[in-house]
Amino acid sequence: MLTKASLLLFSCCLIPSIALAEVSIEKQIVDQVNNQLGESQDLLEKLVNINSGTMNFAGVRQVGGILTNQFDSIGFITQWVDGNEFDRAGHLVATYESTKNPTAPKILMIGHLDTVFAENDDFQSVTDVGKNRLAGPGITDMKGGDVIIFAALQALHKLGMLEQLNIKVVMTGDEESSGRPLEKSKKALVDAAIWADIALGFEDADGDINTAVTARRGSVGWTLKSSGNAAHSSQIFTDAVGYGAIFELARILNDFREQLSDTPLLSFNPGIIAGGTRLSDRGSSIIESFGKRNVVAQTAIVKGGLRAVSPEQLVNTQSAMQQIVAQHLAKTDATLVFDEGYPPMQQTQGNVDLLALYSKVSVDLGYKPVSAVNPRNAGAADISFAADHVDMAIDGLGLMGTGGHTKDEVADMTTFAQNIQKTAVLLYRLSMFKKERQKN
């Protein structure tokens, strides 16, 4: 287990002679990162210019293949986890276990290969838009983070320091649209987290280099269906006909809003809705309905998402929503079903301590302190599947920018070198911690 005391011992209490030696070594790390920066940017542009929308399996595998060769070149053992069982391209897992420093913490570094941009999207390549900015599909979310992972490890390898580390890199091929069942699609990530002591995620967080993520809200989908008695609209509200499916759906949604919308860090959104005499549900985003304005609706449906900051908040909210659903209007019925989803990444003292160490690295390198992102501003991410299995976890260490998930996605390349430097130095400092005991 890594404790706050062990972190502070290294980060705050070095005797002067050791501190001077560490400064010299860390300067070498920064110089090495800077020396290979052009090579790192070339790799970034090469990856961004390959479409790897989640369902473009060939593109995801191509990006994974390039990164596999990169990790092979610095001595990692690489594995491609085929995604056939969960209808996705698959994942890249790269492992380096030290023979010289076996008591060093085991560190999981998390990225993803896929983007939100489909194979036929017209946003396909990198463009220099000036002022140290590059536009491109997935450049911040998160091929920039993938390259930061590799570049930091490459710098340590070239300096002979990688041998002091125990590292496992997992780059998933389905972060933007997870395969199902999640038990299979996230197995490689969860297995790596069980192995690890520390998890580092390389998403772009809220786009601010002076922040990182210590807590994320989980994300769960839900589907609400209601039914009523079809009849001529002149008979609505009568004892024989009742209120119809649409009024029942409206009642439930309004009660959700009135009873739950003020809960801190909780959000729920009805994203798509339809109702009428007949419905045809064609998947997560398309529902066709038929009805007439003078006919009481027989059926209605709404699909939405729920975000909670802790497992307890999620369970309590789901229970409250089910209780609201059960209070039917006359002659109606309704059911609420929750999908599989991303668990919350809970705020822990270990996460706070790890952020403090990362912030100190930033300050020691001449940059600004790093503070925690408000969980309200941090969407779901793969690290949520890992965080409960490690002593410490932070996310948001990737390439910063604006416009993620849109055709205006632009990277601030001034953050590229900074976060490679900070990652490499953080890994170096972590390599000197000793685990007090093995994980259970």
Side-chain angles (χ1 to χ4, degrees):
M1 171 182 288
L2 296 169
T3 66
K4 184 175 183 180
S6 65
L7 288 172
L8 293 176
L9 177 65
F10 178 74
S11 63
C12 300
C13 302
L14 292 172
I15 62 175
S17 60
I18 296 177
L20 290 173
E22 301 308 328
V23 169
S24 176
I25 292 171
E26 291 177 4
K27 185 179 184 304
Q28 293 178 47
I29 294 173
V30 170
D31 289 344
Q32 181 59 50
V33 168
N34 293 339
N35 289 339
Q36 65 188 42
L37 195 59
E39 177 185 346
S40 299
Q41 183 166 326
D42 287 345
L43 175 60
L44 173 62
E45 294 187 28
K46 182 177 183 179
L47 296 178
V48 175
N49 284 330
I50 299 169
N51 178 278
S52 59
T54 305
M55 302 310 292
N56 178 9
F57 292 179
V60 173
R61 292 187 185 110
Q62 186 179 357
V63 170
I66 292 170
L67 286 165
T68 293
N69 292 336
Q70 296 291 318
F71 284 108
D72 286 342
S73 73
I74 59 172
F76 276 69
I77 297 173
T78 55
Q79 176 192 7
W80 183 257
V81 179
D82 184 78
N84 184 61
E85 284 191 317
F86 45 92
D87 191 31
R88 293 297 185 268
H91 313 313
L92 168 61
V93 179
T95 305
Y96 191 102
E97 294 194 75
S98 174
T99 57
K100 294 188 175 181
N101 191 17
T103 63
K106 296 177 179 179
I107 301 169
L108 169 61
M109 304 175 76
I110 302 170
H112 66 81
L113 309 169
D114 62 320
T115 76
V116 300
F117 300 97
E119 187 174 6
N120 60 356
D121 199 290
D122 59 6
F123 188 37
Q124 292 284 2
S125 60
V126 173
T127 303
D128 188 336
V129 294
K131 297 182 179 180
N132 289 314
R133 298 180 304 152
L134 293 179
I139 193 166
T140 62
D141 189 13
M142 67 169 294
K143 290 177 180 177
D146 295 338
V147 176
I148 286 172
I149 292 172
F150 174 74
L153 295 169
Q154 182 186 37
L156 295 174
H157 167 72
K158 288 184 176 180
L159 294 171
M161 299 178 189
L162 188 58
E163 297 174 354
Q164 300 297 317
L165 288 161
N166 295 304
I167 298 286
K168 196 176 289 286
V169 178
V170 177
M171 294 184 176
T172 63
D174 68 341
E175 196 275 346
E176 301 294 1
S177 177
S178 296
R180 293 294 191 272
L182 289 176
E183 180 182 6
K184 293 183 178 180
S185 70
K186 302 305 177 186
K187 184 178 186 304
L189 183 59
V190 171
D191 287 349
I194 292 170
W195 169 89
D197 302 297
I198 296 170
L200 304 175
F202 289 80
E203 293 277 3
D204 59 337
D206 63 352
D208 183 351
I209 195 168
N210 300 315
T211 66
V213 178
T214 56
R216 284 186 179 275
R217 297 189 299 167
S219 178
V220 175
W222 51 270
T223 301
L224 173 64
K225 296 180 180 179
S226 63
S227 60
N229 291 331
H232 194 281
S233 63
S234 64
Q235 299 305 301
I236 196 167
F237 312 141
T238 64
D239 292 341
V241 174
Y243 287 78
I246 290 178
F247 268 121
E248 169 69 346
L249 205 65
R251 174 199 68 84
I252 294 169
L253 293 177
N254 190 57
D255 283 355
F256 286 173
R257 179 186 63 82
E258 289 187 342
Q259 297 185 33
L260 300 170
S261 62
D262 291 335
T263 306
L265 296 178
L266 176 73
S267 63
F268 46 91
N269 176 61
I272 182 171
I273 189 168
T277 306
R278 295 194 305 272
L279 293 178
S280 176
D281 184 354
R282 300 200 172 187
S284 61
S285 301
I286 300 175
I287 305 171
E288 294 181 351
S289 64
F290 170 82
K292 298 179 70 176
R293 67 182 66 191
N294 62 349
V295 176
V296 177
Q298 185 174 18
T299 184
I301 185 172
V302 59
K303 296 185 179 185
L306 168 64
R307 295 179 184 270
V309 75
S310 69
E312 293 77 16
Q313 187 181 69
L314 176 61
V315 170
N316 291 339
T317 301
Q318 289 175 324
S319 177
M321 292 172 74
Q322 293 288 12
Q323 291 176 30
I324 291 169
V325 170
Q327 299 166 16
H328 307 301
L329 294 174
K331 303 297 182 180
T332 68
D333 197 4
T335 59
L336 174 63
V337 176
F338 293 97
D339 302 333
E340 289 186 301
Y342 278 64
M345 174 186 176
Q346 295 187 84
Q347 179 82 285
T348 68
Q349 188 59 51
N351 297 358
V352 172
D353 294 342
L354 183 57
L355 175 61
L357 179 61
Y358 182 67
S359 181
K360 189 172 192 309
V361 168
S362 181
V363 171
D364 289 348
L365 294 181
Y367 304 122
K368 293 181 179 180
V370 182
S371 60
V373 173
N374 184 333
R376 181 87 187 193
N377 300 329
D382 275 341
I383 197 169
S384 296
F385 290 96
D388 282 350
H389 299 285
V390 295
D391 297 326
M392 300 173 172
I394 57 173
D395 199 359
L397 311 186
L399 179 59
M400 304 300 165
T402 58
H405 286 206
T406 76
K407 297 182 191 299
D408 297 317
E409 186 171 355
V410 176
D412 175 0
M413 295 304 293
T414 66
T415 69
F416 189 53
Q418 285 187 45
N419 277 1
I420 299 172
Q421 294 167 10
K422 288 191 285 189
T423 298
V425 172
L426 176 66
L427 292 173
Y428 168 68
R429 292 187 182 185
L430 290 174
S431 74
M432 288 180 282
F433 297 157
K434 306 297 181 184
K435 290 188 294 183
E436 294 180 4
R437 62 175 175 78
Q438 297 293 324
K439 292 179 69 177
N440 293 327

Short mmCIF file of all heavy atoms in Angstrom, two decimals, residues 34 123 226 314:
data_model
loop_
_atom_site.label_atom_id
_atom_site.label_comp_id
_atom_site.label_asym_id
_atom_site.label_seq_id
_atom_site.Cartn_x
_atom_site.Cartn_y
_atom_site.Cartn_z
N ASN A 34 12.28 17.02 -24.47
CA ASN A 34 12.37 18.11 -25.44
C ASN A 34 13.11 17.69 -26.70
O ASN A 34 12.74 18.08 -27.82
CB ASN A 34 13.04 19.32 -24.81
CG ASN A 34 12.19 19.94 -23.71
OD1 ASN A 34 10.98 19.74 -23.66
ND2 ASN A 34 12.82 20.70 -22.82
N PHE A 123 -14.42 15.07 -41.18
CA PHE A 123 -13.34 15.59 -40.33
C PHE A 123 -12.33 14.47 -40.15
O PHE A 123 -12.51 13.58 -39.33
CB PHE A 123 -13.93 16.03 -38.98
CG PHE A 123 -12.97 16.75 -38.07
CD1 PHE A 123 -12.03 17.65 -38.56
CD2 PHE A 123 -13.05 16.57 -36.70
CE1 PHE A 123 -11.18 18.33 -37.70
CE2 PHE A 123 -12.21 17.26 -35.83
CZ PHE A 123 -11.27 18.13 -36.34
N SER A 226 -44.21 3.67 -20.82
CA SER A 226 -45.53 3.75 -20.19
C SER A 226 -46.60 3.24 -21.15
O SER A 226 -46.40 3.21 -22.37
CB SER A 226 -45.84 5.19 -19.78
OG SER A 226 -45.91 6.04 -20.91
N LEU A 314 -25.88 6.66 -6.65
CA LEU A 314 -26.50 5.99 -7.79
C LEU A 314 -27.62 5.05 -7.32
O LEU A 314 -28.73 5.09 -7.86
CB LEU A 314 -25.45 5.20 -8.56
CG LEU A 314 -25.94 4.37 -9.73
CD1 LEU A 314 -26.61 5.24 -10.79
CD2 LEU A 314 -24.81 3.55 -10.34
#
